[in-house]
């Protein structure tokens, strides 16, 4: 017996079936079966909102789904949640909500910002909906959470705020609106960034805001760690980035900021002026670990060939010029994007799958941030390989038109294949030291030095 009629979609066309991946999938399914078996004997009615479901929503949904945010509804109380039960079941089973689009069965599993649900949590929600959404005993309801106002600076008071020249006016009804705005930083010297946050003045209409740095032409960026321009990104539920101690990003003197805005209509005309706030390290301070953005694309020259009614794959490669620790992984595609996998082609020609998104969603710009102790640590010469898949069939519900040929372009109806990695380059000594530290930890685990 299984109450899960539809398992989360999975890809089989890549290296998903590497031995580790396969083993993990088997293990995950086994866990799910155990969970089902353990709860199967009595009726599904045993799952109640107040006791079983509300704690999951507090943990995984309410940061975004509370009044005053851009999420379409609040999920605080039974009354809020009840009308959305069917839709919630569908979204959590498809692993579209909470937004986390990784294939959890391959590659690295530990992330600092993982907001995904466990199989057991999904199972609880599904059984609650199938059991007729009983409220349960009000006394079981956990105390309500409180939320910091969206208007706060979560990174502390910024040293510099940058915003575009005027308020934008979004129409009451109509399609989403993508627009690029620009603003000067006014910086007269190079500064190292400790933290950054983007804050819309009207979070209800801002679907996302992505900022990029445009250094003045001719700036010598050798050894600055500055390669790509992407900076901070905003989407509902995201309240800035603070780098670990001794880690930072360069903002070169004279830079301009590009705001790539995505607005949506809410039934009444509304205005917004989005601001980027930055906390700097003290003047003259240079952090030991410099974050570099590596943004590599498919070859050659971004050319994409996405014929009508087809599912196609393209590849991109980047050879690490120096030893590196990869901090985060972020695929970038548009509406026909289906999935992207990152693998390392090692010096001995073996291949390791690092991460894979198997149900990419263009609506969400998610950088998956590896936990420090498992972040990929790779020697110079390793070739990073991005495999991107576009789905130009009608099975892709975001596809604007499966009968159209699509290629590379800036418009969201065109497409892209980019892999954005935050990387810290290391010198040889530092690389050896970090590898040695990992080895010691693994040995301790294997020899039972760390029993848990
Ligand atoms: C990071 C913020 C965030 C988190 C966390 C989150 N959501 Fe959402 N959710 C949104 C936004 C924004 C939308 C609307 C845009 C979209 O559908 O992508 C949405 C849409 C939905 C929808 C579709 C509503 C409709 O219009 O049909 C459902 C259902 C939903 N979320 C349920 C949940 C549940 C249940 C959880 C927790 C298990 C959750 N969400 C966690 C931000 C979030």
């Amino acid at each position: 017996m299984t109450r899960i009629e539809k398992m989360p979609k999975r890809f089989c066309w890549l290296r998903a079936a590497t031995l580790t991946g396969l083993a993990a999938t088997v293990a995950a399914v086994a866990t799910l079966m155990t969970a089902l078996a353990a709860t199967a004997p009595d009726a599904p009615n045993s799952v109640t909102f107040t006791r079983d479901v509300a704690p999951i929503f507090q943990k995984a949904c309410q940061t975004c789904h509370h009044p005053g945010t851009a999420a379409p509804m609040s999920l605080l109380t039974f009354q809020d949640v009840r009308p959305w039960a069917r839709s919630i079941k569908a979204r959590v089973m498809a692993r579209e909500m909470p937004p986390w689009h990784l294939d959890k069965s391959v590659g690295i599993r530990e992330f600092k910002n993982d907001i995904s649900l466990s199989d057991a949590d999904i199972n609880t929600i599904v059984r609650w909906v199938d059991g007729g959404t009983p409220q349960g005993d009000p006394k079981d309801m956990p105390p309500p959470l409180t939320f910091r106002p969206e208007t706060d600076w979560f990174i502390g008071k910024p040293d510099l705020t940058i915003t575009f020249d005027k308020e934008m006016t979004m129409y009451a009804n109509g399609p989403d609106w993508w627009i690029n705005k620009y603003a000067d930083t006014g910086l007269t010297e190079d500064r190292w960034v400790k933290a950054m946050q983007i804050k819309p003045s009207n979070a209800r209409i801002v679907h996302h805001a992505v900022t990029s740095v445009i250094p003045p032409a001719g700036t010598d960026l050798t050894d600055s760690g500055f390669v790509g321009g992407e900076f901070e990104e905003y989407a509902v539920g995201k309240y800035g980035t603070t780098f670990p101690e001794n880690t930072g990003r360069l903002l070169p003197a004279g830079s301009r900021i590009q705001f790539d805005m995505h607005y949506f209509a809410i039934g009444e005309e509304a205005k917004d002026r989005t601001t980027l706030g930055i906390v700097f390290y003290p003047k003259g301070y240079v952090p030991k670990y410099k974050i570099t953005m590596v943004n590599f694309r498919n070859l050659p020259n971004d050319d994409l060939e996405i014929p009508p009614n087809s599912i196609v794959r393209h590849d991109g490669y980047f050879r690490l010029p120096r030893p590196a620790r990869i901090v985060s992984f972020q695929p970038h595609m548009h509406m026909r994007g289906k999935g992207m996998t990152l693998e390392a082609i090692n010096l001995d020609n073996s291949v390791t799958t690092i991460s894979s998104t198997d149900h990419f969603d263009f609506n969400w710009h998610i950088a998956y941030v590896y936990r420090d102790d498992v972040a990929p640590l790779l020697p110079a010469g390793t070739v990073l390989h991005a495999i991107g898949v576009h789905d130009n069939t009608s099975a892709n519900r975001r596809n604007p038109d499966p009968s159209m040929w699509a290629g590379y372009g800036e418009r969201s109806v065109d497409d892209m294949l980019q892999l954005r990695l935050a990387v810290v380059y290391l010198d040889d000594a530092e690389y050896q030291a970090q590898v040695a530290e990992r080895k010691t930890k693994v040995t301790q685990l294997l020899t039972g030095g760390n029993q848990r």
Side-chain angles (χ1 to χ4, degrees), residues 4 42 44 61 81 98 109 120-121 137 139 155 203 215 234 254 262 282 287 331 334 336 350 357 395 400:
I4 298 200
D42 47 315
C61 319
V81 170
R109 315 288 160 85
D121 285 345
D137 186 342
K139 287 206 285 294
I155 55 169
Y234 166 85
H262 175 179
H334 288 179
R336 293 176 174 86
S350 63
T357 41

Side-chain angles (χ1 to χ4, degrees), residues 307-323:
N309 301 303
S310 67
I311 298 180
V312 289
R313 155 183 174 167
H314 295 83
D315 297 73
Y317 299 88
F318 178 79
R319 186 178 176 280
L320 284 174
R322 284 185 275 161

Side-chain angles (χ1 to χ4, degrees), residues 363-375:
N363 262 331
W364 291 94
H365 294 247
I366 306 173
Y368 300 91
V369 186
Y370 299 113
R371 215 174 65 191
D372 291 336
D373 59 338
V374 294

Side-chain angles (χ1 to χ4, degrees), residues 57 60-61 64-65 70-73 75 84 87-88 91-92 97-99 115 117 125 207 236-237 361 363-364:
F57 284 6
C61 319
C64 297
H65 289 274
M73 71 288 195
L75 294 179
W84 294 94
S87 171
I88 288 170
R91 294 286 193 124
V92 299
M97 280 290 148
I115 51 169
L117 293 176
I125 295 171
H207 193 289
V236 57
D361 181 344
N363 262 331
W364 291 94

Side-chain angles (χ1 to χ4, degrees), residues 28-246:
V29 172
T31 318
L32 191 61
M33 304 286 278
T34 323
L36 283 168
T39 43
D42 47 315
N45 293 351
S46 57
V47 179
T48 71
F49 179 77
T50 52
R51 190 187 56 217
D52 307 301
V53 175
I56 300 176
F57 284 6
Q58 287 199 340
K59 181 177 65 179
C61 319
Q62 294 180 359
T63 339
C64 297
H65 289 274
H66 69 261
T69 74
M73 71 288 195
S74 158
L75 294 179
L76 300 185
T77 64
F78 177 72
Q79 284 69 26
D80 290 341
V81 170
R82 178 63 197 86
W84 294 94
R86 290 275 137 203
S87 171
I88 288 170
K89 177 184 162 186
R91 294 286 193 124
V92 299
M93 281 176 71
R95 291 192 179 277
E96 290 171 353
M97 280 290 148
W100 186 262
H101 306 127
L102 280 186
D103 179 342
K104 294 208 222 177
S105 68
V106 297
I108 292 169
R109 315 288 160 85
E110 282 86 25
F111 296 86
K112 288 184 180 172
N113 57 340
D114 190 346
I115 51 169
S116 65
L117 293 176
S118 64
D119 290 341
D121 285 345
I122 295 177
N123 187 33
T124 301
I125 295 171
V126 169
R127 286 195 303 129
W128 174 68
V129 175
D130 289 348
T133 65
Q135 178 169 12
D137 186 342
K139 287 206 285 294
D140 289 340
M141 189 70 182
L145 300 182
T146 49
F147 303 95
R148 277 177 80 170
E150 300 279 299
T151 48
D152 272 11
W153 286 110
F154 286 64
I155 55 169
K157 190 175 174 302
D159 300 309
L160 178 67
T161 56
I162 305 150
T163 182
F164 32 87
D165 52 356
K166 61 172 175 33
E167 278 197 316
M168 306 304 291
T169 305
M170 181 61 194
Y171 36 79
N173 295 293
D176 291 13
W177 184 31
W178 282 267
I179 181 163
N180 287 345
K181 297 293 292 174
Y182 298 86
D184 287 320
T185 56
L187 265 196
T188 53
E189 57 187 323
D190 290 0
R191 291 296 296 272
W192 286 92
V193 175
K194 167 74 183 151
M196 49 200 184
Q197 182 188 342
I198 295 174
K199 217 167 64 171
S201 69
N202 184 351
R204 288 168 64 220
I205 59 169
V206 178
H207 193 289
H208 73 246
V210 180
T211 53
S212 309
V213 178
I214 308 171
T219 310
D220 179 9
L221 295 166
T222 328
D223 284 335
S224 67
F226 192 94
V227 178
E230 293 86 28
F231 219 48
E232 179 65 352
E233 293 175 346
Y234 166 85
V236 57
K238 193 163 176 219
Y239 303 109
T241 302
T242 301
F243 296 121
E245 267 322 299
N246 245 331

